[in-house]
Amino acid sequence: MIDARTALIAVDVQNDFCPGGSLPVTGGDEIVPLVNELGRRFSTVVLTQDWHPDGHSSFASSHPGKTPFETVAMPYGTQVLWPDHCVEGSKGAAFHPDLDLSMAQAIIRKGYRREVDSYSGFVEADRTTPTGLGGYLKERGIARVVVVGLATDFCVNWTAQDAARHGFEAIVVEDACRAIDLDGSLGHAWAEMTALGVRRARLADLTG
Ligand code: VGL
Ligand code: ZN
């Protein structure tokens, strides 16, 4: 299953999404050893890194009168507002200290334009601006991607969906992910992914 045409995409395994961070995902740090274990088995490993400028439009603090987890209408659609997180160059934006970065060949940063968010590692929230990840993987002969990381219902979800839209076979390893689960977002995420043909697996399915 894990062959030379299969890539691992580890999504946003960053301090701010782990306990102690500004947008902590429950148990976010628990996936780190699993991601490391998986990473050793792949010949192509890509990391995504949420990377926002100060005052990013996805921050509630950029919208007077708004608080985190409310929504706002953006030109590209409804945007959930978050606590300030993953500010470029900050400790919160750094990868979890125990994440083994040695096997990663590429790091795709996303969300670095002030006016546009990007949950997906492939295409920004305007749904038109590519990050380049699709081309990178295709040029390297990748046909299948295994997606893990944080958070299942946001960046993992959008990245896996866009992988499928780009024509990659996509598999999400659910026990190597953790979710935010805002108002049923986790259930919706699985329904959307499943509808696009994204497969749901567990670590043991891949590692035997
Ligand atoms: C994420 C909310 C805001 C994620 C990133 O990595 O899932 N969630 N920015
Ligand atoms: Zn973000």
Side-chain angles (χ1 to χ4, degrees):
M1 219 290 264
I2 302 175
D3 58 17
R5 289 165 63 80
T6 310
L8 179 69
I9 305 177
V11 174
D12 299 3
V13 187
Q14 293 168 259
N15 290 323
D16 270 342
F17 298 125
C18 291
S22 65
L23 179 40
V25 181
T26 305
D29 54 335
E30 295 167 5
I31 69 165
V32 172
L34 285 70
V35 177
N36 289 342
E37 166 64 24
L38 269 175
R40 283 189 273 277
R41 297 166 184 260
F42 285 78
S43 52
T44 298
V45 178
V46 177
L47 308 178
T48 70
Q49 189 172 29
D50 213 39
W51 194 255
H52 301 308
D54 258 326
H56 190 254
S57 55
S58 75
F59 296 171
S61 63
S62 304
H63 302 265
K66 291 285 187 184
T67 55
F69 312 110
E70 287 185 81
T71 58
V72 72
M74 297 290 275
Y76 51 79
T78 303
Q79 171 73 50
V80 179
L81 297 176
W82 305 105
D84 290 22
H85 65 279
C86 298
V87 172
E88 51 192 32
S90 68
K91 184 165 178 286
F95 292 107
H96 187 286
D98 297 332
L99 184 69
D100 184 357
L101 304 176
S102 60
M103 49 257 198
Q105 291 117 4
I107 297 172
I108 299 290
R109 288 178 172 160
K110 59 185 181 61
Y112 46 74
R113 289 202 292 149
R114 193 177 305 270
E115 303 309 324
V116 187
D117 204 3
S118 190
Y119 295 147
S120 166
F122 288 90
V123 185
E124 293 181 2
D126 60 11
R127 308 316 292 144
T128 53
T129 310
T131 63
L133 178 56
Y136 175 83
L137 294 174
K138 279 182 186 161
E139 239 187 299
R140 296 195 51 191
I142 297 300
R144 177 161 52 198
V145 300
V146 173
V147 187
V148 298
L150 306 171
T152 322
D153 39 349
F154 288 92
C155 292
V156 170
N157 172 30
W158 284 61
T159 298
Q161 284 194 43
D162 278 352
R165 290 191 184 98
H166 277 72
F168 298 105
E169 187 187 331
I171 300 155
V172 172
V173 183
E174 61 179 335
D175 46 342
C177 300
R178 290 293 184 277
I180 296 173
D181 205 9
L182 205 60
D183 299 326
S185 57
L186 182 59
H188 286 128
W190 282 119
E192 288 167 3
M193 288 191 277
T194 303
L196 280 174
V198 175
R199 279 162 53 205
R200 182 173 177 168
R202 297 189 62 83
L203 188 69
D205 300 332
L206 278 85
T207 58

